[in-house]
C-alpha cells in the first residue's frame, strides 16, 4: 500500500489534461500524477524511462514500488469527470483506493472499470497512514466478498458497498449487457415518455 | 409534496434494481451532449461490441476542448488534438449524429450551445462526459457529468444506472448588491460549505435572489455546483426560464410549445417539500470573491487578506494551505487587492455568455489594460455569442482596451489547446477551477467574476469592481 497524504486530490493532478488528448483507453499509468511524479514537464508521447523522476514524490520511493492499494485523504478525485483518472490509477497497478471520502463522479467511474474505491472512517484512515508510514512493506488484505480490510496485526475494518455494484465487480459483468436485458422496459418507458412529452422526441 | 429533484428523478425511472430507496436505478436519459475528449473510447467500445446508438435524435455533438481560438482557417496544429477532433467528426458522420463542426457559427462550448439552441429543455435528464454538465440544471433539468464508460452506456441503452442523491436546498434570500454576480454567490457558497460540501447531494438553488437572476447567471451558478461537490445543481422553472427558451431552434413550436410550457411550470419544488439539508445565504452580505489558493474553497472577499496557515489547527488543512500558498507564490496576510495578475482570461462554460461579456465590456469601456498585463483575452462561449457581441460592438470595446478577441472554445480554462499560462504566471480567470497546473503547468489561477477580471485588467491588480462602475 502507498500513502498519498493530501486532501482534495483533483483529477487534474491524477492525470493532467495534455494526456486526455489520447483516443485510447490504455497507457495512462506512466503519466499518473505526472506533475508531482516527474521534475520535467510531461507531454504525450514522451518516453517515461528518459524523464526525471521527482525523488521526493511518494510513489517514487523504493518501498512503495508495486503497491496495489492507494491510501488517500478526503474528497479524493474531485474535479472533472475524466475517466482517464481511474484508468491511470488502474494502468499504474492500483486495484483499490482507500479514503475517508471521494468525489461523486470519480467514485462512480471507478466501479465502471473495476477499480475499487473504499470509504473508511477518518480515524481508521489516520491509523492506516500511521502504520503504513512506520512499516516498510506494509500490506493490507482487501476482501470484497467479505467487505473488509485487514491490517497485518489482524485488525479488521468493514466497508459498505452497494450490493449491485458488488455483484457486478465480483462477477466482472458488463453493465451495458445487463441494462440491455431490460430492453423491453426501456422501450415501454420510451413510449409512455413520448406520449407525455412529445417535444422531447423531435 | 416533492422536491424538484424528486420530480425529475421519478419521471425518468425505467427500472429499480432493488426496492430499497438507496438501490441502483435505471434512469432514462433525454439529452446526450458529446464532445471530443471523453467520447472516442466510448464510440470505440460501442463499435467493438457491435452496438449502435439507441436514439440518434437525443445526441448533439461539438468539439470544444481542443479547438484553437485563433486562425481557425489554419486548422489544428497539434496533431494529437487534431486527431481527437477528427475522430469525433468521423464518429458523428458514420453514425449520423448531429454535430456542429469547428467552423460552424453554432460551434462553441458544449454547455453554452445546449441551452443556446434550446437543446436543453426543462424536465429533461441531460448528461455529458463533462463535470460541468450541472450547468443545464438552470433549466430545471436533472443534468450531471458522466465518465466515458457511462457515455458508452447512454449511447447503447439511453439509460444510466444511478443511485439517488440526497437533496440540498441553497436559499439565497434578499437582493444582490450592485456589481455582485452569480459567480460571487457560487464562490461564497463554496467558501462556506467547501468543495466536498455538496458531495452526495443534488443542489436546488432557491430564494428571492435566485428568482431575480437571468438564465445566464443561473447557468453560472449551476455550473459551479460541481465545484461544491454536487454532481447536479438546479433551479425551478419561472417566466425567466420560459422566456429564454421561446423561439430557440431545438425548442418546441406552436401547440407543442404551449403544451410543454404547461408541464414545465410544474417543475419546481412544492411548497413545504423537505430537503435533506438546507443552507441559507444573505444575498446582501455577498461581496466580490477571489480565490487565493488551489481549490475553489480557498476564497476570500476583495477586501480580505490571504490567510495565515499558522492560525490553522487542523494539521491536514494547515499543510494544504501551506502547499497552496507556496504554489501560488503568496505570503500570508497579503491584502487580496495587492495581488497583481499577469494575464486575464474571460471565458469558459462558467462565464462566456453574452451577459458576462456585456458586464466585462462595461468595465473596460474607454479604459486600457494596465502595463503589467501581458495578455488579456476574451473567448466567447459560442460562435453565436461572439456574433451577438460583435453586433453590439463589444469586440471593439475589448480590442480598444487592449484585449484579444478570440474564437469560441474551452481555451485557457483547462489549457488543452495552445492557450495556457507559463509557469509562475498569475491569471485573473472567469473559469471554474484553480487546481495546480489547470491553466498550464505551474500557472497560478485566481477565480473571479467577469466584472472583477475586467477590473483587474485595467487596474493591474485586483480591485473592487464596485469602485469602477
Amino acid at each position: 500500500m502507498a500513502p498519498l497524504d493530501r486532501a482534495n486530490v483533483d483529477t487534474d493532478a491524477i492525470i493532467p489534461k495534455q494526456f486526455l488528448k489520447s483516443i485510447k483507453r490504455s497507457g495512462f499509468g506512466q503519466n499518473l500524477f505526472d506533475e508531482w511524479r516527474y521534475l520535467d514537464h510531461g507531454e504525450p508521447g514522451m518516453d517515461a524511462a528518459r524523464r526525471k523522476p521527482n525523488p521526493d514524490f511518494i510513489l517514487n520511493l523504493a518501498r512503495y514500488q508495486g503497491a496495489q492499494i492507494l491510501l488517500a485523504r478526503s474528497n479524493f478525485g474531485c474535479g472533472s469527470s475524466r475517466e482517464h483518472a481511474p484508468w491511470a490509477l488502474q494502468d499504474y497497478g492500483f486495484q483499490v483506493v482507500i479514503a475517508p471520502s471521494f468525489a461523486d463522479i470519480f467514485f462512480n467511474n471507478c466501479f465502471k472499470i473495476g477499480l475499487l474505491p473504499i470509504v473508511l472512517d477518518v480515524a481508521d484512515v489516520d491509523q492506516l497512514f500511521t502504520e503504513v508510514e512506520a512499516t516498510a512493506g506494509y500490506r493490507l488484505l482487501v476482501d470484497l466478498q467479505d467487505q473488509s480490510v485487514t491490517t497485518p496485526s489482524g485488525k479488521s475494518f468493514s466497508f459498505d458497498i452497494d450490493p449491485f455494484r458488488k455483484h457486478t465487480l465480483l462477477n466482472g459483468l458488463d453493465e451495458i449487457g445487463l441494462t440491455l436485458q431490460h430492453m423491453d422496459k426501456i422501450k415501454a418507458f420510451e413510449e409512455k415518455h413520448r406520449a407525455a412529452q412529445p417535444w422531447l422526441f423531435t | 409534496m416533492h422536491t424538484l429533484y424528486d420530480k425529475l428523478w421519478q419521471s425518468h425511472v425505467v427500472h429499480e434494481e432493488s426496492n430499497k430507496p438507496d438501490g441502483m436505478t435505471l434512469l432514462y436519459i433525454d439529452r446526450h451532449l458529446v464532445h471530443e475528449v471523453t467520447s472516442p473510447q466510448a464510440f470505440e467500445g460501442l463499435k467493438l461490441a457491435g452496438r449502435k446508438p439507441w436514439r440518434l435524435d437525443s445526441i448533439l455533438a461539438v468539439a470544444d476542448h481542443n479547438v484553437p481560438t485563433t486562425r481557425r482557417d489554419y486548422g489544428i496544429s497539434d496533431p494529437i488534438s487534431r486527431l481527437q477532433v477528427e475522430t469525433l467528426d468521423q464518429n458523428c458522420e458514420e453514425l449520423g449524429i448531429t454535430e456542429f463542426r469547428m467552423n460552424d457559427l453554432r460551434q462553441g462550448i458544449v454547455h453554452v450551445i445546449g441551452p443556446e439552441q434550446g437543446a436543453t429543455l426543462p424536465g429533461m435528464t441531460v448528461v455529458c462526459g463533462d463535470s460541468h454538465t450541472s450547468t443545464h440544471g438552470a433549466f430545471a433539468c436533472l443534468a450531471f457529468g458522466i465518465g466515458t464508460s457511462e457515455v458508452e452506456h447512454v449511447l447503447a441503452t439511453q439509460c444510466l444506472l444511478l443511485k439517488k442523491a440526497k437533496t440540498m436546498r441553497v436559499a439565497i434570500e434578499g437582493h444582490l448588491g450592485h456589481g455582485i454576480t452569480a459567480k460571487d454567490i457560487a464562490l461564497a457558497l463554496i467558501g462556506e460549505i467547501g468543495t466536498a460540501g455538496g458531495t452526495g447531494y443534488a443542489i436546488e438553488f432557491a430564494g428571492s435572489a435566485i428568482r431575480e437572476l437571468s438564465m445566464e447567471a443561473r447557468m453560472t451558478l449551476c455550473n459551479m455546483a460541481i465545484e461544491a461537490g454536487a454532481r447536479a445543481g438546479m433551479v425551478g422553472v419561472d417566466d425567466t426560464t420560459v422566456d429564454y427558451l421561446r423561439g430557440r431552434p431545438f425548442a418546441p413550436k406552436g401547440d407543442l410549445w404551449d403544451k410543454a410550457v404547461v408541464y414545465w411550470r410544474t417543475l419546481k419544488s412544492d411548497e413545504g417539500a423537505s430537503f435533506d439539508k438546507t443552507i441559507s445565504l444573505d444575498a446582501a452580505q455577498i461581496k466580490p470573491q477571489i480565490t487565493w489558493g488551489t481549490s475553489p474553497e480557498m476564497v476570500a472577499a476583495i477586501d480580505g487578506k490571504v490567510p495565515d496557515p499558522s492560525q490553522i489547527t487542523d494539521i491536514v488543512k494547515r499543510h494544504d494551505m501551506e502547499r497552496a500558498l507556496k504554489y501560488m507564490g503568496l505570503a500570508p496576510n497579503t491584502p487580496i487587492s495587492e495581488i497583481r495578475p499577469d494575464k486575464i482570461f474571460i471565458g469558459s462554460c462558467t462565464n462566456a455568455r453574452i451577459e458576462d461579456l456585456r458586464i466585462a465590456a462595461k468595465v473596460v469601456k474607454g479604459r486600457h489594460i494596465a502595463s503589467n498585463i501581458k495578455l488579456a483575452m476574451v473567448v466567447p462561449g459560442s460562435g453565436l455569442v461572439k456574433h451577438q457581441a460583435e453586433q453590439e460592438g463589444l469586440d471593439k470595446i475589448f480590442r480598444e482596451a487592449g484585449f484579444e478577441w478570440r474564437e469560441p472554445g474551452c481555451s485557457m480554462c483547462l489549457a488543452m489547446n495552445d492557450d495556457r499560462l507559463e509557469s509562475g504566471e498569475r491569471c485573473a480567470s472567469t473559469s471554474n477551477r484553480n487546481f495546480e497546473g489547470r491553466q498550464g503547468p505551474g500557472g497560478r489561477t485566481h477565480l473571479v467574476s467577469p466584472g472583477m477580471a475586467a477590473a483587474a485588467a485595467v487596474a493591474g491588480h485586483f480591485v473592487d469592481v464596485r469602485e469602477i462602475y
Side-chain angles (χ1 to χ4, degrees):
Chain A
M1 180 163 77
L4 184 65
D5 197 359
R6 299 185 186 205
N8 299 315
V9 171
D10 59 74
T11 54
D12 277 82
I14 297 172
I15 182 85
K17 87 285 276 151
Q18 61 269 34
F19 305 108
L20 272 51
K21 295 176 184 179
S22 169
I23 57 170
K24 299 199 177 79
R25 204 181 260 262
S26 56
F28 296 101
Q30 60 177 342
N31 302 111
L32 175 70
F33 300 121
D34 200 274
E35 285 185 22
W36 295 341
R37 199 165 136 205
Y38 300 99
L39 293 172
D40 56 343
H41 171 66
E43 283 293 334
M46 284 169 79
D47 179 0
R50 288 163 171 262
R51 295 185 59 194
K52 280 185 247 156
N54 175 1
D56 297 330
F57 183 58
I58 199 90
L59 293 186
N60 290 334
L61 303 187
R63 62 188 281 187
Y64 298 122
Q65 298 312 300
Q68 292 174 291
I69 304 172
L70 183 67
L71 182 66
R73 294 289 185 187
S74 62
N75 200 27
F76 188 82
C78 60
S80 85
S81 68
R82 61 187 73 165
E83 199 163 302
H84 311 68
W87 288 340
L89 287 159
Q90 191 177 55
D91 192 52
Y92 179 87
F94 289 118
Q95 296 187 45
V96 174
V97 185
I98 300 174
S101 60
F102 292 90
D104 287 341
I105 304 179
F106 175 84
F107 186 74
N108 196 55
N109 283 343
C110 287
F111 288 106
K112 306 292 174 191
I113 66 161
L115 178 69
L116 178 62
I118 294 178
V119 177
L120 293 181
D121 286 345
V122 176
D124 297 341
V125 169
D126 279 344
Q127 189 191 331
L128 292 178
F129 265 101
T130 308
E131 290 185 9
V132 69
E133 282 162 4
T135 320
Y138 185 87
R139 292 171 72 87
L140 275 187
L141 180 69
V142 175
D143 187 334
L144 174 57
Q145 181 65 52
D146 189 43
Q147 296 180 214
S148 67
V149 171
T150 310
T151 71
S153 65
K155 183 160 185 196
S156 197
F157 307 101
S158 66
F159 61 88
D160 283 335
I161 181 170
D162 177 85
F164 178 79
R165 281 173 165 162
K166 180 177 171 178
H167 175 71
T168 51
L169 276 183
L170 283 172
N171 298 290
L173 299 176
D174 163 29
E175 283 194 9
I176 294 177
L178 286 178
T179 296
L180 287 173
Q181 290 176 6
H182 299 296
M183 194 182 276
D184 292 344
K185 275 192 164 178
I186 302 171
K187 285 184 175 160
F189 175 88
E190 205 164 47
E191 280 318 302
K192 199 182 69 179
H193 201 49
R194 187 194 297 268
Q197 298 179 58
W199 56 86
L200 296 178
F201 294 80
T202 50
Chain B
M1 286 176 293
H2 300 283
T3 63
L4 171 59
Y5 177 76
D6 289 335
K7 292 182 188 184
L8 293 170
W9 180 272
Q10 278 312 326
S11 59
H12 290 87
V13 173
V14 171
H15 170 76
E16 284 169 326
E17 286 294 339
S18 84
N19 47 15
K20 281 193 247 159
D22 65 343
M24 300 296 286
T25 299
L26 199 60
L27 214 67
Y28 187 83
I29 303 303
D30 295 310
R31 176 68 70 209
H32 189 184
L33 301 166
V34 171
H35 68 76
E36 80 276 22
V37 181
T38 53
S39 65
Q41 298 88 352
F43 282 119
E44 187 190 46
L46 196 73
K47 241 175 264 177
L48 288 174
R51 292 169 177 142
K52 290 258 182 265
W54 181 280
R55 218 188 101 203
L56 285 174
D57 68 1
S58 71
I59 312 169
L60 179 60
V62 72
D64 54 6
H65 285 60
N66 280 280
V67 298
T69 58
T70 52
R71 295 309 303 257
R72 288 268 165 95
D73 47 338
Y74 288 8
I76 303 172
S77 59
D78 175 356
I80 313 177
S81 286
R82 191 169 63 232
L83 177 63
Q84 196 165 55
V85 173
E86 286 171 356
T87 303
L88 178 68
D89 293 347
Q90 269 170 24
N91 281 321
C92 290
E93 194 161 305
E94 269 175 42
L95 296 167
I97 292 169
T98 306
E99 183 198 7
F100 297 160
R101 296 265 180 119
M102 192 167 81
N103 290 317
D104 190 315
L105 183 64
R106 300 167 297 175
Q107 182 269 342
I109 305 172
V110 67
H111 307 308
V112 174
I113 69 160
E116 185 174 76
Q117 291 294 321
T120 302
L121 295 172
M124 276 183 167
T125 43
V126 180
V127 297
C128 175
D130 193 287
S131 60
H132 291 109
T133 310
S134 58
T135 309
H136 307 263
F139 293 85
C141 294
L142 178 54
F144 52 89
I146 57 178
T148 298
S149 294
E150 290 179 310
V151 170
E152 186 181 338
H153 200 126
V154 178
L155 284 171
T157 70
Q158 211 59 37
C159 292
L160 275 181
L161 274 162
L162 295 162
K163 248 178 143 70
K164 201 170 178 187
K166 289 176 284 182
T167 53
M168 182 189 293
R169 182 175 192 265
V170 173
I172 319 281
E173 300 291 353
H175 307 285
L176 288 175
H178 171 69
I180 308 299
T181 66
K183 184 64 161 286
D184 301 302
I185 301 179
L187 289 172
L189 173 69
I190 295 164
E192 182 98 7
I193 69 173
T195 51
T199 302
Y201 291 91
I203 294 180
E204 180 177 346
F205 296 99
S208 54
I210 304 301
R211 297 267 70 91
E212 290 174 6
L213 293 179
S214 66
M215 284 318 296
E216 285 85 353
R218 292 178 192 181
M219 285 188 254
T220 300
L221 192 56
C222 291
N223 173 278
M224 296 286 286
I226 184 65
E227 309 315 329
R231 209 170 168 183
M234 63 197 79
V235 176
V237 169
D238 60 10
D239 289 344
T240 307
T241 325
V242 175
D243 291 345
Y244 178 96
L245 290 168
R246 190 176 287 113
R248 303 263 164 194
F250 285 61
K253 315 262 179 318
D255 288 349
L256 267 188
W257 167 264
D258 296 337
K259 202 177 161 201
V261 170
V262 171
Y263 172 63
W264 293 346
R265 292 209 184 266
T266 68
L267 296 171
K268 50 189 170 190
S269 289
D270 296 330
E271 198 72 42
S274 80
F275 290 79
D276 296 304
K277 196 170 183 177
T278 300
I279 305 272
S280 299
L281 292 184
D282 178 0
Q285 298 298 317
I286 299 174
K287 297 175 185 173
Q289 304 284 309
I290 300 176
T291 62
W292 48 263
T294 54
S295 162
E297 71 187 31
M298 294 174 167
V299 65
I302 181 64
D303 58 358
K305 286 179 178 173
V306 172
D308 186 347
S310 69
Q311 305 297 310
I312 307 291
T313 46
D314 181 322
I315 196 158
V316 175
K317 265 205 178 122
R318 193 196 313 151
H319 285 165
D320 284 347
M321 191 183 275
E322 285 166 351
R323 193 155 34 216
L325 292 186
K326 185 168 174 238
Y327 180 87
M328 293 298 288
L330 291 172
N333 300 311
T334 306
I336 294 288
S337 60
E338 286 180 10
I339 300 173
R340 299 170 73 82
D342 305 299
K343 289 185 173 171
I344 309 292
F345 173 60
I346 297 176
S348 87
C349 57
T350 312
N351 278 129
R353 297 180 184 83
I354 190 66
E355 181 182 279
D356 302 313
L357 305 193
R358 285 178 189 144
I359 292 171
K362 202 168 159 188
V363 173
V364 303
K365 189 174 185 181
R367 298 187 170 92
H368 199 274
I369 59 171
S371 57
N372 59 306
I373 303 296
K374 290 191 243 176
L375 171 72
M377 59 198 281
V378 181
V379 183
S382 71
L384 288 168
V385 168
K386 180 169 183 259
H387 179 73
Q388 172 73 24
E390 287 170 355
Q391 297 294 106
E392 296 177 20
L394 305 186
D395 58 322
K396 202 159 162 272
I397 294 172
F398 283 118
R399 281 198 172 109
E400 282 173 2
F403 278 81
E404 293 192 9
W405 180 249
R406 299 287 189 91
E407 300 294 334
C410 300
S411 180
M412 208 161 71
C413 171
L414 87 167
M416 269 188 86
N417 68 355
D418 292 336
D419 308 335
R420 63 186 68 170
L421 297 180
E422 298 302 321
S423 187
E425 279 182 343
R426 193 179 291 291
C427 183
S429 178
T430 66
S431 55
N432 40 57
R433 288 187 179 137
N434 52 346
F435 298 155
E436 285 184 23
R438 171 81 177 178
Q439 294 193 290
R444 295 161 172 169
T445 304
H446 296 276
L447 302 176
V448 285
S449 71
M452 286 292 286
V458 296
H461 58 89
F462 286 110
V463 62
D464 193 330
V465 64
R466 295 173 296 182
E467 291 168 13
I468 296 196
Y469 88 130

